[in-house]
Amino acid sequence: NKVLLIRQIINENEQAGGDSTQVLRLFDRMLDTPKPSADIAELRAAYMDLKKMPADSINTALRRVLEIAPDNAGARLHLIQSVWPTEDYDAVIALCRPALEYNPDEMAFYYYLGVAHYQKDEDDEALDAFRRGVSQINSESNHAIVSDFYSIMGDILHKKGRDQEAFAAYDSCLQWNPDNVPCLNNYAYYLSVRGENLQKAEQMSYRTIKAQPDSGTYLDTYAWI
């Protein structure tokens, strides 16, 4: 009932000119209770986003949602995506870790956790996050995310000198997304450096320059092969 009521008030407020200060004061009163509603807190964050308020203010509102309902996957993912462009990978990691306990079947949290560690050159932690994410794969998993999991796992394993495991990861990546261009390029290049399966390497590399004909990196790989 509270949610329906405040939605009605927001609509009336918008029709009257959209004075957000009045609406936010009402939200604050509703949340200033011993047992605040997570739904109201989430609606407050959504309203602030709709009104294009500063990112810091929206992030504070999202953190308030998580204080009330730490298992709210949508609010947590929204906050992670907001923090990500700042390259504060420690903050991303801190947000992702509890998510694996509250929402262990949400692939996106493993992805952001793994990539954040990877950006910090923490390869072992990144590999662990991706492997834990892979263990959650099912028939409804997002193909693009799963493909990227395996692609980055392949890059890390190659960096560790475990080429056969890396190539197996690349094969899995391409099963989920045959057009994963970074994977196709890296796989082709690493095969060519070893002088193995050059025909396969050439075919994969050719697909990358068909997809991005102006990429100097992909053209270089093809020329090398």
Side-chain angles (χ1 to χ4, degrees), residues 201-219:
E202 187 273 338
Q203 291 171 350
M204 290 191 296
S205 181
Y206 183 69
R207 288 167 62 189
T208 69
I209 59 173
K210 288 286 287 183
Q212 298 186 27
D214 297 327
S215 170
T217 298
Y218 299 156
L219 288 167

Side-chain angles (χ1 to χ4, degrees), residues 101-150:
E101 302 296 328
Y102 291 113
N103 311 103
D105 57 344
E106 179 53 68
M107 300 284 291
F109 294 127
Y110 297 95
Y111 176 78
Y112 280 110
L113 178 62
V115 175
H117 279 301
Y118 187 59
Q119 291 292 337
K120 294 185 64 184
D121 294 321
E122 296 171 348
D123 291 342
D124 290 337
E125 291 84 352
L127 195 57
D128 176 69
F130 289 129
R131 281 179 168 157
R132 293 170 67 187
V134 163
S135 70
Q136 300 293 328
I137 292 174
N138 58 55
S139 59
E140 298 181 358
S141 296
N142 184 301
H143 283 223
I145 290 180
V146 174
S147 177
D148 285 344
F149 269 43
Y150 281 117

Side-chain angles (χ1 to χ4, degrees), residues 166-212:
F167 296 158
Y170 289 145
D171 284 331
S172 295
C173 166
L174 297 175
Q175 287 179 5
W176 284 87
N177 178 14
D179 298 318
N180 189 312
V181 174
C183 175
L184 287 167
N185 177 75
N186 290 350
Y187 195 0
Y189 181 72
Y190 296 147
L191 282 175
S192 70
V193 169
R194 292 172 61 93
E196 297 178 3
N197 296 323
L198 294 181
Q199 184 175 0
K200 177 180 180 179
E202 187 273 338
Q203 291 171 350
M204 290 191 296
S205 181
Y206 183 69
R207 288 167 62 189
T208 69
I209 59 173
K210 288 286 287 183
Q212 298 186 27

Side-chain angles (χ1 to χ4, degrees), residues 9 24-25 39 42 66 98 129 135 142 148 155 177 186 190:
I9 291 171
L24 289 176
R25 277 199 299 269
D39 290 337
E42 189 171 13
L66 295 178
S135 70
N142 184 301
D148 285 344
D155 294 343
N177 178 14
N186 290 350
Y190 296 147

